[in-house]
Amino acid sequence: MSGDSDCTKTSPSVGSPSDNEFLPDRPRYVCMLSPDLVAKAREELQEKPEWRLRDVQALRDMVCKDYPTLGTCLDDAFLLRFLRARKFDYDRALQLLVNYHTCRRSWPEVFTNLKPSAIKAVLESGFVTVLPHLDPEGRHIVCIRPDRWIPSHYPITENIRAIYLTLEKLIQSEETQVNGIVILADYKGVSLSKASHFGPFVAKKVIGILQDGFPIRIKAVNIINEPRIFKGIFAIIKPFLKEKIANRFFLHGSDLNSLHQNIPQMILPEEYGGTSGKLDISAWNESLLASEEDLLHDFSQLVLPGDSLPCETLVSGDADEKQCDDSLRGCSTTWLCVARMFWGKEWMKGVMAP
């Protein structure tokens, strides 16, 4: 579906519940939020049910006017994700939508042939999964375990593909759009040799997607079992994070009691001192693989990686792009300096040996 053809279908009415009557080929939006979540969205996201379709139509009009060849889906439910992620600020929602497409088209290694069946090896490794129970705020817990990745089996971009598809699956839920998600990253057993795969280019891309290129609210990032070098690396990355995101990082080390202050034991698996049984990745893997047809349908409405886009670089309202580029160029060297400081020259020789 091209951007031009989408724009020609824009409803002549604005904000009316009958908007979709003029768009027979566009699904009609039906709110699936509970009364409590409707109230939460009103309070936290400035989402007013009586204005919801008007706001969606306003964003659709802006896309058609400013980016007529964007090649995006313009369904109510799809655009609503971006409005919720930016608290119904039209301009910021539009910027996020453009960034979403910029990310997809500027990194073909990640976004070409992006589907659950293509990353089965990552899913089976247990690198990323979603815990079965929601936290008290109704948020999913995305669990990432880098130690499960064997670099000789597949490149790091496969891990990023798996995380991205996980987010795409989760954001289909209106509850997640309102409540957001929590990330739990376990760095147990991760050495510098493995961490070195996450270089400046990858770091910049991933930060760009999570901060400015995907319509999801990341409410907390809990890091456990991080090696000593992680604090040095995080100190390097932190300046490129928005203050709000940086303040949501919690480094717990091996202190599970600290983790339990953020994530209750009753929803954590035994591996993290919880009471919900052994960590089981099978349920999430089956759910994600079963959603392939729905995800491919959504992706089919988007222009593929490599196609043209009105803007060539990621737009960020809060970061200086040139400063980020210049600083990240030196990250690889700085990481090695930090590692040498913590582990010494002899250890570094072993890591850098062919």
Side-chain angles (χ1 to χ4, degrees):
M1 184 180 296
S2 71
D4 287 308
S5 60
D6 276 339
C7 292
T8 61
K9 299 175 187 173
T10 301
S11 169
S13 63
V14 177
S16 167
S18 61
D19 278 353
N20 288 342
E21 294 177 5
F22 297 94
L23 307 168
D25 59 340
R26 179 171 292 144
R28 177 174 182 140
Y29 170 74
V30 177
C31 182
M32 303 299 291
L33 296 175
S34 67
D36 286 344
L37 283 179
V38 169
K40 182 176 183 178
R42 181 188 291 271
E43 179 181 353
E44 294 186 9
L45 308 181
Q46 281 66 92
E47 177 177 345
K48 299 176 175 60
E50 63 273 21
W51 293 355
R52 186 186 291 125
L53 288 180
R54 183 208 67 174
D55 294 336
V56 169
Q57 184 64 47
L59 178 57
R60 184 183 293 119
D61 290 342
M62 292 173 70
V63 174
C64 294
K65 177 178 181 292
D66 297 335
Y67 298 96
T69 60
L70 186 60
T72 186
C73 173
L74 290 176
D75 291 348
D76 293 341
F78 181 77
L79 294 179
L80 193 53
R81 301 175 186 179
F82 297 85
L83 285 166
R84 284 173 171 154
R86 292 297 181 262
K87 298 185 177 182
F88 281 75
D89 182 314
Y90 296 165
D91 291 329
R92 295 177 66 231
L94 176 62
Q95 175 180 298
L96 178 61
L97 177 62
V98 172
N99 289 349
Y100 173 84
H101 287 280
T102 302
C103 291
R104 294 181 63 90
R105 294 167 205 183
S106 64
W107 205 358
E109 295 91 342
V110 169
F111 293 103
T112 299
N113 191 36
L114 185 64
K115 57 184 180 181
S117 62
I119 48 97
K120 286 184 67 175
V122 183
L123 297 178
E124 292 170 356
S125 76
F127 173 84
V128 60
T129 192
V130 176
L131 301 187
H133 304 293
L134 303 175
D135 77 357
E137 300 296 323
R139 303 176 299 204
H140 282 287
I141 311 295
V142 178
C143 182
I144 301 173
R145 298 183 293 169
D147 69 304
R148 299 286 172 156
W149 171 49
I150 301 176
S152 61
H153 287 185
Y154 51 80
I156 192 173
T157 48
E158 290 300 292
N159 294 329
I160 297 167
R161 283 155 61 82
I163 293 173
Y164 194 91
L165 282 170
T166 295
L167 298 182
E168 284 281 7
K169 170 67 175 174
L170 290 175
I171 205 60
Q172 290 180 340
S173 163
E174 290 198 274
E175 289 80 4
T176 298
Q177 293 169 25
V178 174
N179 292 326
I181 64 168
V182 170
I183 294 176
L184 170 60
D186 180 4
Y187 281 84
K188 181 179 179 179
V190 176
S191 65
L192 179 65
S193 59
K194 183 176 288 188
S196 65
H197 290 266
F198 191 72
F201 174 82
V202 174
K204 178 185 176 183
K205 289 284 191 179
V206 171
I207 291 172
I209 290 172
L210 295 180
Q211 284 196 148
D212 299 301
F214 197 87
I216 201 162
R217 306 176 72 206
I218 300 176
K219 305 301 290 184
V221 180
N222 293 277
I223 310 293
I224 63 173
N225 297 319
E226 68 273 14
R228 287 180 297 171
I229 192 176
F230 186 89
K231 290 185 178 180
I233 294 175
F234 183 68
I236 298 169
I237 294 175
K238 188 174 181 180
F240 312 122
L241 298 173
K242 295 179 180 178
E243 182 179 3
K244 181 172 69 174
I245 294 294
N247 290 338
R248 292 176 180 176
F249 273 75
F250 302 93
L251 308 184
H252 302 287
S254 59
D255 186 355
L256 292 180
N257 289 327
S258 175
L259 173 65
H260 299 159
Q261 293 178 15
N262 287 24
I263 305 178
Q265 288 178 268
M266 63 182 180
I267 68 171
L268 284 170
E270 294 176 7
E271 288 84 345
Y272 303 121
T275 59
S276 67
K278 294 286 186 181
L279 180 58
D280 180 14
I281 66 173
S282 60
W284 174 253
N285 288 355
E286 292 171 5
S287 176
L288 185 57
L289 289 168
S291 69
E292 179 154 328
E293 186 174 340
D294 290 339
L295 288 171
L296 289 178
H297 176 267
D298 291 346
F299 296 162
S300 70
Q301 302 187 64
L302 310 177
V303 175
L304 296 174
D307 290 338
S308 61
L309 185 67
C311 63
E312 294 300 328
T313 58
L314 184 68
V315 179
S316 174
D318 301 315
D320 186 314
E321 183 77 15
K322 185 177 185 303
Q323 179 183 359
C324 184
D325 282 343
D326 293 343
S327 300
L328 280 171
R329 287 190 189 104
C331 276
S332 291
T333 301
T334 310
W335 288 2
L336 295 180
C337 292
V338 171
R340 182 176 297 166
M341 177 178 66
F342 279 112
W343 280 296
K345 296 180 180 179
E346 293 304 315
W347 186 89
M348 283 297 298
K349 289 179 182 178
V351 171
M352 301 306 294

